[in-house]
Amino acid sequence: MARYDKGHRDTTRRQILDVASAQFRESGIAAVGLAGIMSAAGLTNGAFYTHFESKEDLVRAVLLDALERREQRHKDNLKNGVALETTIRDYLSPRHRDHAATGCPTAALASEIARHPKSTREAFTGKMSDILALMAAQMPNGSAAERRRRALSAYATMVGALQLSRAVSDRQLSEEILENAVEAALTLAKGA
């Protein structure tokens, strides 16, 4: 039996998560099979079950990982005084639109997550709530409840606009969706 270096298991798990995350966001969860993920990760199918119980277990792990990374960016922005406007403009940029595989898992996967088991939806809900709280903390004026309401509205606007901008075939319309959503999200964030 071959022995692996210390940390090999963690490195392999990270590799599977990264490949699955990109493939899920690019093609959708339902369209991606375990064999394709493992092949792209340079691993055998049998190695999958050393790290995950099922595809659903992998989906949950990918969501938590991707949303924790997004949450960390929000924390870093808050700590470093990065304006919420910068976050909104970056989120609703053509670059983000054009790179779904490395972009927001919410915009890429929300419609599919709605059809997954409660445990997966609960994992998604918890992380999304954390991100909303961080957005609300960046908003000026108003009570905590008012800032949360505005964060919910702004986030929903951002996610929906990103999804629409990716779905339309007309590049000019796509740009228009993004530009108008930036203004709408900023208005919501400012409470004006």
Side-chain angles (χ1 to χ4, degrees):
M1 179 187 230
R3 295 224 176 238
Y4 292 105
D5 294 335
K6 186 176 182 174
H8 174 77
R9 181 179 167 95
D10 292 339
T11 301
T12 302
R13 181 180 170 88
R14 172 88 265 147
Q15 190 174 354
I16 296 167
L17 282 171
D18 289 345
V19 168
S21 185
Q23 287 187 6
F24 288 164
R25 287 187 258 185
E26 185 70 32
S27 302
I29 296 166
V32 175
L34 294 180
I37 291 169
M38 297 307 285
S39 175
L43 300 164
T44 65
N45 290 353
F48 175 82
Y49 294 100
T50 302
H51 302 280
F52 303 97
E53 293 177 14
S54 64
K55 183 177 179 183
E56 195 62 36
D57 185 33
L58 174 62
V59 169
R60 268 190 306 281
V62 162
L63 282 173
L64 288 171
D65 181 66
L67 290 168
E68 283 169 1
R69 289 177 185 216
R70 187 154 287 282
E71 179 184 10
Q72 188 57 52
R73 278 192 293 255
H74 280 280
K75 285 179 180 177
D76 292 345
N77 286 349
L78 192 57
K79 183 176 120 184
N80 296 321
V82 174
L84 184 56
E85 179 174 350
T86 302
T87 302
I88 290 170
R89 288 187 184 284
D90 183 57
Y91 190 95
L92 293 169
S93 68
R95 179 196 48 74
H96 191 198
R97 176 200 58 209
D98 296 342
H99 295 94
T102 57
C104 176
T106 303
L109 302 172
S111 63
E112 281 190 89
I113 302 279
R115 294 184 213 76
H116 279 257
K118 186 176 181 183
S119 59
T120 300
R121 293 190 334 270
E122 285 175 344
F124 174 78
T125 300
K127 280 293 152 198
M128 193 190 81
S129 294
D130 294 342
I131 291 169
L132 288 168
L134 289 166
M135 283 183 70
Q138 286 184 279
M139 293 187 174
N141 312 321
S143 67
E146 172 62 20
R147 289 192 319 271
R148 178 174 166 74
R149 185 190 66 72
R150 293 191 340 251
L152 278 164
S153 298
Y155 192 60
T157 298
M158 293 161 61
V159 169
L162 188 59
Q163 289 175 320
L164 287 173
S165 73
R166 288 176 175 164
V168 298
S169 62
D170 180 331
R171 193 69 162 187
Q172 184 176 345
L173 177 58
S174 178
E175 300 287 336
E176 197 176 344
I177 290 167
L178 292 175
E179 290 167 13
N180 283 288
V182 166
E183 295 310 314
L186 287 174
T187 298
L188 288 164
K190 293 174 186 172

